[in-house]
Amino acid sequence: MSVIRSVVTGVGAYLPPKVVTNEDLAKFVDTSDEWIVERTGIRQRHQAADDQPVSDLAFEAAKEALEAAGKTAADVDLIIVATTTADLTFPAVATIVQRKLGAPVGIAFDVQAVCSGFVYALSVADGFVARGHAKCALVIGAETMTRLMDWSDRGTCVLFGDGAGAIVLEPGEGQGTTDDQGMLGFALRADGTKQDLLYVDGGVSTTGTVGKLRMLGNQVFKHAVVNISEAIHSAAANAGVEVADVDWFIPHQANQRILAGVAHRCGIDEEKVISTVAIHANTSAASIPLAFAHGVKDGRIKKGDLLLLEAMGGGLTWGACVLRL
Ligand code: UT7
């Protein structure tokens, strides 16, 4: 049976040039390279310049993804940006990216699901593309997480970084089988009762300030491995594949120990895990497309490969996606 799938036709990434090492942080916060590497796997993170809003990062990643897809801004009819660190309270970053790209009038909006934002945004974009409402969609994960840091809180400020990743989604004809290119299955989850584990303590309709990120890291950790594993198995079941069939696992990059724990629990060979946490740290909604682009650029991820994406973040929200490139 012929079906329309939303197919990834281009991937792009952008990292701001400034690199902050663990040693750099240890100069002003009570931490050490040894502790950060041992507990998280993080060695460095990128940090956006003060005059570099998140839309600039998203714009650069989008340009690269369009070029990889052989498309121009004139082709784009849908832009979704997953972000929790917008330039302004409104308008959406997506409309700012649309203006910067010079893309024509179309659909543009942001998705807010914190670190799970990219997986959520992909499922929304899939709905538009697979139903024929968009022919060339940009799905972007972009963050300036370092702007939300309390630099006196060593439990959080060493964990996050800035960056952006983007993909182009286009409709493609499939046969309704798991050999089709494109999105095959999703599992999205949220549990608002866990808000206190990970949140920002400011906002427009409460404090009137931006606020700082607060996290009970070890409690989030405990939820992460169990919940992500369930979502992975559900996404695989919805896609009609076995987790063992996956060629590459592209997880949200929060902590190397979580990546390894989830891979172990799901029976995924560690050789199949794309890990960029050491060099990017946790870039929230940007981390999956950044890792995706990394794996494509270094030649590991190839056309036809079966990919498994997963994330977990504030809300709590979490989810997974299975697609064939
Ligand atoms: O992307 C959204 C999802 N987020 C996550 O998935 C993050 C999940 N959580 C984690 O990755 C880990 O829980 C952390 C990396 C945040 C923390 O690792 P942990 O092994 O859970 O450490 P802990 O919070 O239980 O703290 C252990 C000790 C504490 O000292 P005491 O009380 O045992 O004396 C902390 O004060 O480590 C201390 N500590 C640090 N020491 C040096 C916490 N942060 C630091 C630090 N440097 N940066």
Side-chain angles (χ1 to χ4, degrees), residues 43-64:
R43 294 182 182 276
Q44 63 169 51
R45 71 286 293 139
H46 290 251
Q47 185 172 13
D50 290 345
D51 61 353
Q52 210 175 14
V54 78
S55 62
D56 277 7
L57 278 54
F59 168 64
E60 295 295 340
K63 276 196 303 188
E64 197 176 272

Side-chain angles (χ1 to χ4, degrees), residues 31 35 39-40 115 154 217-218 252 254-255 257-258 282 312:
T31 190
W35 190 94
R39 297 295 183 112
T40 72
C115 299
R154 67 178 182 173
N218 48 10
H252 168 50
N255 185 320
R257 290 189 291 140
I258 298 178
N282 183 344
M312 174 167 201

Side-chain angles (χ1 to χ4, degrees), residues 18-226:
K18 183 179 174 188
V19 171
V20 180
T21 65
N22 294 345
E23 283 89 354
D24 292 335
L25 294 177
K27 285 177 194 149
F28 63 89
V29 69
D30 182 16
T31 190
S32 65
D33 177 55
E34 191 187 10
W35 190 94
I36 301 171
V37 171
E38 190 186 307
R39 297 295 183 112
T40 72
I42 296 167
R43 294 182 182 276
Q44 63 169 51
R45 71 286 293 139
H46 290 251
Q47 185 172 13
D50 290 345
D51 61 353
Q52 210 175 14
V54 78
S55 62
D56 277 7
L57 278 54
F59 168 64
E60 295 295 340
K63 276 196 303 188
E64 197 176 272
L66 284 173
E67 198 178 325
K71 295 281 164 186
T72 70
D75 299 310
V76 175
D77 53 4
L78 169 65
I79 304 174
I80 305 180
V81 177
T83 188
T84 196
T85 49
D87 294 21
L88 300 168
T89 301
F90 74 77
V93 177
T95 58
I96 300 174
V97 171
Q98 180 194 34
R99 171 173 57 78
K100 287 182 177 175
L101 283 171
V105 170
I107 307 165
F109 60 94
D110 291 354
V111 163
Q112 158 63 295
V114 203
C115 299
S116 315
F118 190 75
V119 176
Y120 270 67
L122 265 187
S123 80
V124 177
D126 178 42
F128 278 93
V129 175
R131 280 165 189 76
H133 298 308
K135 295 245 172 298
C136 181
L138 267 171
V139 186
I140 306 167
E143 299 280 18
T144 46
M145 292 304 285
T146 62
R147 308 275 219 266
L148 293 177
M149 295 301 109
D150 171 352
W151 294 105
S152 66
D153 176 11
R154 67 178 182 173
T156 53
C157 76
V158 304
L159 303 174
F160 292 88
D162 303 334
I167 63 159
V168 174
L169 274 186
E170 295 180 66
E173 199 177 326
Q175 299 309 309
T177 74
T178 58
D179 289 335
D180 291 351
Q181 277 184 288
M183 300 295 151
L184 297 175
F186 287 92
L188 303 181
R189 308 275 187 264
D191 178 358
T193 67
K194 304 288 189 303
Q195 174 180 325
D196 292 350
L197 303 190
L198 177 54
Y199 66 102
V200 168
D201 64 3
V204 181
S205 69
T206 50
T207 59
T209 61
V210 171
K212 299 293 176 201
L213 185 144
R214 306 293 171 202
M215 178 165 70
L216 298 173
N218 48 10
Q219 293 195 41
V220 175
F221 194 107
K222 281 177 200 147
H223 282 280
V225 177
V226 176

